[in-house]
């Protein structure tokens, strides 16, 4: 993990609370500074594992019916009915869900470059 990645999590409300609590304990001579740094390292690693699990997304969903979908101005719009959200167990069922997914400009740029490269090879 890069040092600057830690700053993102440590500046969150939970990270700041943990640092404040560890500072109070350290000032009362309850723990050493090395132990405080170890606790913060465990916090960083746990946060990364929770947000970016190695085995794929945390929540998956499946719709019984896609009511409509369209692609307009680099954005997909899906209207779904009876959507089941799953983790390791069923989390929730929603009657209607609308998803808007915009394609990132870097993705579009790579697609265009790849297409041009293939066209040049054919000539």
């Amino acid at each position: 993990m890069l040092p600057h990645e830690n700053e993102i999590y440590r500046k969150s409300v939970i990270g700041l609370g943990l640092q404040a609590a560890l500072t109070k304990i350290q000032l009362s001579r309850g723990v050493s500074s090395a132990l405080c740094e170890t606790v913060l390292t465990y916090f960083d690693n746990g946060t990364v594992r929770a947000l970016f699990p190695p085995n794929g997304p945390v929540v998956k969903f499946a719709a019984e019916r896609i009511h409509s979908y369209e692609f307009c101005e680099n954005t997909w719009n899906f209207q779904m009915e009876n959507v089941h959200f799953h983790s390791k167990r069923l989390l929730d069922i929603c009657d209607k869900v609308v998803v808007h997914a915009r394609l990132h400009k870097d993705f579009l740029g790579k697609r265009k470059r790849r297409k041009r490269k293939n066209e040049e090879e054919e000539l």
Side-chain angles (χ1 to χ4, degrees):
M1 178 182 296
L2 300 173
H4 68 278
E5 289 178 340
N6 295 349
E7 294 174 13
I8 296 170
Y9 307 119
R10 290 185 184 183
K11 289 182 180 179
S12 67
V13 174
I14 294 173
L16 292 174
L18 176 62
Q19 287 179 359
L22 289 172
T23 302
K24 284 182 182 179
I25 294 171
Q26 187 179 7
L27 291 175
S28 68
R29 305 212 188 271
V31 295
S32 66
S33 60
L35 183 59
C36 289
E37 194 58 39
T38 303
V39 170
L40 287 171
T41 302
Y42 277 113
F43 169 74
D44 296 334
N45 293 335
T47 304
V48 169
R49 276 195 310 272
L51 293 175
F52 309 106
N55 298 339
V58 176
V59 177
K60 298 178 184 179
F61 66 91
E64 287 182 12
R65 179 172 182 240
I66 296 178
H67 186 269
S68 66
Y69 64 93
E70 66 178 346
F71 183 74
C72 182
E73 296 182 6
N74 298 329
T75 303
W76 279 103
N77 297 310
F78 297 93
Q79 293 182 358
M80 300 175 283
E81 295 177 357
N82 298 327
V83 181
H84 299 251
F85 290 90
H86 299 269
S87 181
K88 292 182 180 178
R89 57 183 175 78
L90 181 66
L91 293 177
D92 202 359
I93 299 173
C94 297
D95 295 335
K96 294 181 181 181
V97 174
V98 177
V99 176
H100 303 282
R102 180 177 274 292
L103 293 177
H104 192 270
K105 64 180 179 182
D106 286 345
F107 177 75
L108 291 174
K110 289 178 185 175
R111 283 182 58 198
K112 288 178 183 175
R113 276 188 243 123
R114 191 177 305 135
K115 196 179 278 187
R116 284 187 199 136
K117 195 174 189 179
N118 290 341
E119 289 172 1
E120 290 173 4
E121 289 174 1
E122 290 175 2
L123 295 175

